[in-house]
Amino acid sequence: MEELCSAVLGTLPAKALLDDATLLLARTRSLSPAQVTCWNLPDEPAAVAHARALATARLTEWGLERVADTTALIVSELVTNAIRHGAAPITLRLIRHRVLVCEVTDASDTVPRLRHARVTDECGRGLFLVSQLSSRRGTRHSPAAKTVWAEQEIDATRS
């Protein structure tokens, strides 16, 4: 890794080295296809219940029934946000490794905001619930879409 870092820095003009710079290098490992599942969802409210059912079935296949209820709630909130505030196409992806990652991607660049809804509010609690139910969450952007994700802790021996 040190050699890679030196090689990259060696390609920069000398003036660029005077500025603050951050270089992130990471070794990645690919996951087996059995650890990742992905579904395209229609841009309609009925897709939320279907997404919950798909996620619950996959978690059962993976032997992760103990996190199925929590995951179903996270899926519901993220898919609902994508349908209400995002744009088609909408994709749901589950990744099982050391943690369980739930990702929902849509074609909008609008980032959902965490809100502390009042008791009388009908809407606005979604990301707050996701933040309470997950160990980490966030958003990442690509040129054509955004992905909102949430991680849940799972037993590492099942990965």
Side-chain angles (χ1 to χ4, degrees):
M1 291 294 253
E2 192 67 35
E3 291 172 16
L4 287 171
C5 186
S6 295
V8 170
L9 290 175
T11 65
L12 296 175
K15 185 178 178 183
L17 295 177
L18 298 176
D19 289 332
D20 289 336
T22 302
L23 175 63
L24 174 65
L25 296 176
R27 287 191 176 101
T28 60
R29 296 184 334 193
S30 57
L31 299 173
S32 84
Q35 292 176 279
V36 180
T37 191
C38 187
W39 299 281
N40 294 320
L41 302 172
D43 188 8
E44 58 189 41
V48 177
H50 184 60
R52 277 194 313 264
L54 290 168
T56 300
R58 183 53 47 102
L59 293 176
T60 300
E61 291 174 22
W62 285 342
L64 296 174
E65 295 91 344
R66 69 192 179 291
V67 296
D69 290 340
T70 302
T71 304
L73 184 52
I74 290 171
V75 165
S76 289
E77 297 301 335
L78 295 183
V79 171
T80 297
N81 276 348
I83 291 169
R84 284 187 181 165
H85 309 291
I90 297 170
T91 312
L92 168 63
R93 181 163 72 162
L94 297 178
I95 303 166
R96 178 184 57 96
H97 187 50
R98 292 187 177 112
V99 294
L100 176 65
V101 180
C102 174
E103 298 181 340
V104 175
T105 302
D106 72 75
S108 168
D109 61 358
T110 303
V111 178
R113 296 179 324 166
L114 183 103
R115 287 184 40 208
H116 295 274
R118 295 180 308 255
V119 175
T120 57
D121 287 345
E122 290 291 321
C123 300
R125 295 186 194 116
L127 286 180
F128 179 74
L129 287 173
V130 170
S131 74
Q132 297 299 304
L133 298 172
S134 59
S135 54
R136 294 187 330 148
R137 64 169 191 85
T139 304
R140 71 177 180 277
H141 295 272
S142 68
K146 74 164 177 307
T147 300
V148 182
W149 56 270
E151 286 183 2
Q152 296 174 77
E153 299 295 328
I154 57 174
D155 182 3
T157 61
R158 293 185 178 259
S159 294

